[in-house]
Amino acid sequence: MAVQLDEAAGRTAPRTGKGGAPPARRGPGARRAARGAPYLLLLPALLATAVFLGWPLVRNLVLSFQNLNMKELIQHLTDWQGLGNYQEVLGSGQFWRVTVRTIAFTAVNVVLIMVLGTLLGLLLARLGTKMRLVLSVALVLAWAMPSIAATTVFQWLFDSRYGVVNWLLDNLGWHSMARYDWVGTQLSTFFVITVLIVWQSLPFVALNLYAATTTIPKELYEAARMDGAGTWKIFTSVTFPFLRPFFLATTFLEVIWVFKAFPQIFAINQGGPDRLTETLPIYAFTEGVGNLHFGMGAAISVLTIVVLLALTAYYLRLTLKQEEDAL
């Protein structure tokens, strides 16, 4: 009976704070403040996003409905076009050719980046400590180089008269390449741009993949080897399934990054020759700033965002479907 009374007393005894005093209860105001603290911490970032990203987008959307040329800009005139700019752009064959070209260019680059970046990441995981450090430093230096600086280096490498690439090919016996103009045709220009963009993107994929492989338990690899699995089987049955979220997220980021690539393409040949290497960002800049049709350029940039959103939505739908099928 005494034991039961003691247990009952223990269950009903009030909780005490420091020094035996009962803990202070927080009032409704304190609880509301605690719930609102995360939103207050996010407020500076949200304000910065609204000022530096949201307002330019809104302003660009407004400009896309105006006929804004040099005359209107100087005289501060507002000539509303309604959907006129969009009708002209969507009715132009040039816009659709550039759109298809941009999607194909993005697809080729993303595939190359993901395949080569994955191979480099797996190589980092298999190298010794010293060689891994050397390769990691080289990748970081390539990643840290500004886009314009890297583009200038590639312009020198592929220069028709003094380029290292032509000199090397000439000395290897391919004498017809001694004075080859790499930016003289559409395919060769795209080749140089692709090499540049892939080279700049590989470090991000390789280093992140190597970091992700360190989270895979070694026991899984040992079990796969004991079952007689080779290198390819280990990758498909252990590495890839374990890192599937990484591949999906990285591919998504690379699609966005390549699709909106501007400085590399513009600095190499400004979308030439004959505007055959223009992508949607270059097309919007050429029509808006180059030809002083600012309303038209704004409309093209809005449509560029719409195309990118459609591609990312389609990609996310595919990835979510794959995840559901995997479950």
Side-chain angles (χ1 to χ4, degrees), residues 75-95:
Q75 297 181 359
H76 301 283
L77 299 177
T78 302
D79 182 12
W80 294 100
Q81 285 284 100
L83 297 176
N85 290 329
Y86 291 97
Q87 292 174 350
E88 185 175 350
V89 172
L90 294 175
S92 170
Q94 177 70 5
F95 172 78

Side-chain angles (χ1 to χ4, degrees), residues 125 132 207-218 221 242-243:
R132 183 186 302 125
L207 293 174
N208 280 279
L209 177 65
Y210 165 67
T213 56
T214 59
T215 64
I216 302 177
K218 295 181 180 180
Y221 289 112
F242 201 90
L243 300 181

Side-chain angles (χ1 to χ4, degrees), residues 26-321:
R26 293 188 299 178
R31 288 195 295 269
R32 285 195 297 268
R35 287 195 297 266
Y39 300 100
L40 290 177
L41 295 176
L42 288 174
L43 186 60
L46 293 176
L47 289 176
T49 302
V51 172
F52 296 107
L53 182 62
W55 171 245
L57 286 175
V58 172
R59 181 60 179 166
N60 187 72
L61 181 62
V62 173
L63 289 178
S64 68
F65 296 105
Q66 298 179 12
N67 178 29
L68 183 61
N69 298 325
M70 185 58 66
K71 174 184 175 181
E72 288 78 12
L73 189 65
I74 294 175
Q75 297 181 359
H76 301 283
L77 299 177
T78 302
D79 182 12
W80 294 100
Q81 285 284 100
L83 297 176
N85 290 329
Y86 291 97
Q87 292 174 350
E88 185 175 350
V89 172
L90 294 175
S92 170
Q94 177 70 5
F95 172 78
W96 297 108
R97 286 191 295 270
V98 173
T99 300
V100 173
R101 184 187 304 148
T102 305
I103 295 174
F105 173 76
T106 302
V108 171
N109 277 269
V110 170
V111 170
L112 291 174
I113 290 167
M114 293 305 299
V115 171
L116 297 177
T118 299
L119 294 176
L120 272 176
L122 296 176
L123 177 62
L124 283 172
R126 297 176 67 91
L127 289 175
T129 304
K130 293 183 179 179
M131 288 302 299
R132 183 186 302 125
L133 178 61
V134 172
L135 182 56
S136 298
V137 171
L139 291 173
V140 170
L141 291 177
W143 193 15
M145 183 178 291
S147 297
I148 295 300
T151 304
T152 303
V153 172
F154 271 74
Q155 285 178 317
W156 171 69
L157 289 174
F158 287 93
D159 184 74
S160 59
R161 297 184 61 185
Y162 306 106
V164 175
V165 174
N166 286 357
W167 174 84
L168 181 61
L169 293 175
D170 183 34
N171 281 272
L172 290 176
W174 202 346
H175 302 297
S176 61
M177 302 297 294
R179 293 296 181 94
Y180 184 75
D181 184 9
W182 286 94
V183 295
T185 64
Q186 181 185 32
L187 290 179
S188 60
T189 304
F190 266 132
F191 173 79
V192 176
I193 297 171
T194 299
V195 173
L196 171 59
I197 291 180
V198 171
W199 177 78
Q200 287 185 300
S201 304
L202 285 180
F204 174 77
V205 179
L207 293 174
N208 280 279
L209 177 65
Y210 165 67
T213 56
T214 59
T215 64
I216 302 177
K218 295 181 180 180
E219 293 79 6
L220 297 178
Y221 289 112
E222 295 174 357
R225 293 190 185 96
M226 290 179 63
D227 291 339
T231 303
W232 176 250
K233 185 64 177 179
I234 290 175
F235 175 78
T236 56
S237 61
V238 178
T239 305
F240 185 79
F242 201 90
L243 300 181
R244 184 187 297 271
F246 162 80
F247 285 107
L248 296 178
T250 306
T251 303
F252 175 72
L253 293 175
E254 289 298 332
V255 167
I256 296 176
W257 192 82
V258 175
F259 189 91
K260 65 183 184 65
F262 177 86
Q264 300 91 336
I265 303 174
F266 188 80
I268 286 292
N269 202 16
Q270 299 182 4
D274 299 326
R275 305 184 66 175
L276 292 176
T277 58
E278 281 186 346
T279 57
L280 282 173
I282 304 297
Y283 182 48
F285 179 84
T286 301
E287 290 295 329
V289 179
N291 295 334
L292 302 179
H293 298 158
F294 300 105
M296 185 72 66
I300 296 172
S301 64
V302 171
L303 292 174
T304 300
I305 296 174
V306 172
V307 173
L308 182 58
L309 289 176
L311 290 177
T312 53
Y314 178 73
Y315 174 77
L316 290 176
R317 181 181 177 184
L318 289 179
T319 55
L320 291 176
K321 184 179 180 180

